[in-house]
Amino acid sequence: MCNTNETTPKQRVLSCIQPSGLLTLGNYLGALKNWTQMQSQFDCTFAVADLHAITVRQEPAKLRSQIYSTFALLLALGIDPEQNTVFIQSQVPYHTALSWVLSCYTQFGEMSRMTQFKDKSAKHPDNINVGLFSYPVLMAADILLYQPAFVPVGADQKQHLEIARDIALRFNHLYGDVFTVPEAYIPKTGARIMSLQDPAKKMSKSDDNANSWIAILDSKDDIIRKFKRAVTDSDSCVRMSPDKPGVSNLITIYGAVTGKTADEVEREFEGKGYGDFKLAVGEAVADTLAPIKQRHDEIIKDKKELERLYKAGAEKASRTAAKTYFKVMKKVGFVL
């Protein structure tokens, strides 16, 4: 008797991350941790978005090192390059090629309203370049090339996904069903981690104060030292409250790495001071990140295997991207 069971194809999800600095605990708990969990549910495409990094001046040797490290870190997190597509953006030329086409279907006014352009222009007034202005179009190309059904986004990236959707809808209206119009994927879990020195701000690798953020690859001693210096308040009560943002941030972090609720954390540290609490948070975070750092360090040492994996990933990504790119070229009217 024939087996009539058919496997339903998984929906595609695309996620990209820039190698423009050390990835933080906030990146891990807010996004990267979820990437590993998505593998069983979706057909996943993961990219190291190195082209986006050069909107800000980079030291070439340092950028190259960070690209290698970010790619190795994705593997160290448990992302399977055989099961998923894992690649370095600049090694797939269809990204920049499609970006030019899409820029001709994007309005100047749409780009002018991008809040990150305004923010980064203010931060880097001596280098307000065209790439900084138009990189949301490259981001749209990153997305639309792979026809994903979903794109995981944080609050600061929603505007970029919306412009990608607008461009896709505009192009489809003119030329037919060319692009999948992706939806935002908002994970059920994914803690929003704030700065250890200014809990009103999101933890960021671009923060000048190194004590404000934990790098995934930090040593245990550095992690514990930074948590000991974390801002709390004059009270000594470990309690989740809007008027205790520093302590609340630490409770969120501790809960995220231990799986405990805020109520459970409060009960665990009832009657204990901030010193005990900060040390416990630091040790829990260090224990969580240690296996990732160890695996990253092993992968980064084997340059030959690392090169084999990122080249294989680029070839796999190129096969998918080429189908979309040449379909777009034909629709627009170019000679193929």
Side-chain angles (χ1 to χ4, degrees):
M1 184 175 178
C2 295
N3 185 355
T4 57
N5 292 333
E6 294 184 3
T7 303
T8 303
K10 293 180 180 179
Q11 291 181 299
R12 182 170 294 157
V13 169
L14 176 120
S15 299
C16 303
I17 191 158
Q18 286 194 45
S20 54
L22 295 171
L23 298 179
T24 70
L25 176 67
N27 296 129
Y28 174 67
L29 295 177
L32 296 174
K33 186 178 179 181
N34 292 311
W35 289 13
T36 61
Q37 297 169 353
M38 290 191 299
Q39 295 179 99
S40 60
Q41 186 179 356
F42 298 102
D43 171 11
C44 296
T45 298
F46 300 109
V48 177
D50 54 338
L51 292 172
H52 288 284
I54 64 169
T55 58
V56 177
R57 290 286 177 264
Q58 301 286 340
E59 181 184 331
K62 186 177 179 181
L63 175 61
R64 189 175 298 111
S65 176
Q66 288 172 175
I67 293 169
Y68 284 133
S69 182
T70 303
F71 187 85
L73 185 56
L74 294 181
L75 304 182
L77 288 165
I79 291 173
D80 184 352
E82 302 297 330
Q83 179 184 344
N84 309 287
T85 302
V86 191
F87 68 102
I88 298 170
Q89 177 195 27
S90 62
Q91 296 190 337
V92 181
Y94 300 111
H95 287 254
T96 49
L98 182 61
S99 179
W100 167 250
V101 177
L102 296 185
S103 69
C104 297
Y105 293 83
T106 306
Q107 300 304 302
F108 182 85
E110 292 174 315
M111 291 294 95
S112 300
R113 291 191 290 273
M114 294 287 108
T115 55
Q116 285 207 13
F117 171 70
K118 297 173 184 176
D119 294 342
K120 290 190 176 182
S121 296
K123 187 176 288 187
H124 303 280
D126 58 335
N127 185 28
I128 306 176
N129 56 74
V130 174
L132 184 62
F133 182 76
S134 64
Y135 84 92
V137 182
L138 176 58
M139 191 175 290
D142 298 336
I143 295 168
L144 300 179
L145 272 173
Y146 299 95
Q147 309 283 7
F150 300 104
V151 177
V153 291
D156 57 344
Q157 294 295 334
K158 286 182 180 179
Q159 193 179 35
H160 291 138
L161 179 60
E162 283 305 313
I163 194 65
R165 286 172 49 84
D166 290 344
I167 294 169
L169 288 167
R170 183 176 298 134
F171 199 92
N172 287 353
H173 177 73
L174 292 169
Y175 300 109
D177 188 15
V178 178
F179 294 122
T180 298
V181 181
E183 300 288 340
Y185 176 74
I186 310 296
K188 293 181 181 178
T189 58
R192 181 174 172 81
I193 306 302
M194 311 307 286
S195 164
L196 298 183
Q197 294 299 312
D198 183 0
K201 299 191 305 183
K202 184 178 177 181
M203 182 179 285
S204 172
K205 58 193 175 187
S206 62
D207 197 314
D208 293 333
N209 186 348
N211 288 316
S212 68
W213 48 273
I214 303 293
I216 295 175
L217 300 178
D218 271 346
S219 68
K220 182 172 183 176
D221 288 345
D222 283 342
I223 290 171
I224 290 175
R225 176 179 53 80
K226 290 180 182 180
F227 274 109
K228 284 182 176 179
R229 296 178 179 179
V231 169
T232 48
D233 54 53
S234 57
D235 191 1
S236 61
C237 179
V238 177
R239 177 171 51 87
M240 181 75 82
S241 172
D243 62 353
K244 296 168 72 71
V247 177
S248 297
N249 186 40
L250 296 182
I251 291 173
T252 298
I253 292 170
Y254 189 70
V257 297
T258 62
K260 296 178 180 179
T261 65
D263 287 343
E264 289 172 333
V265 176
E266 289 176 3
R267 286 196 296 271
E268 181 179 348
F269 292 94
E270 187 174 357
K272 297 181 181 179
Y274 287 156
D276 291 337
F277 179 49
K278 289 180 181 181
L279 179 60
V281 178
E283 289 181 338
V285 169
D287 289 346
T288 297
L289 298 181
I292 300 171
K293 175 176 168 53
Q294 181 180 354
R295 181 63 182 139
H296 166 274
D297 292 347
E298 292 169 356
I299 293 170
I300 205 74
K301 287 178 183 176
D302 191 347
K303 286 287 194 276
K304 189 173 181 180
E305 176 63 6
L306 188 65
E307 182 179 2
R308 184 190 72 80
L309 290 172
Y310 69 66
K311 285 186 175 180
E315 290 176 6
K316 189 175 180 181
S318 292
R319 288 194 294 271
T320 301
K323 293 177 183 177
T324 300
Y325 176 72
F326 287 113
K327 185 176 183 179
V328 168
M329 296 292 279
K330 183 177 180 180
K331 289 287 187 179
V332 171
F334 291 109
V335 175
L336 301 180

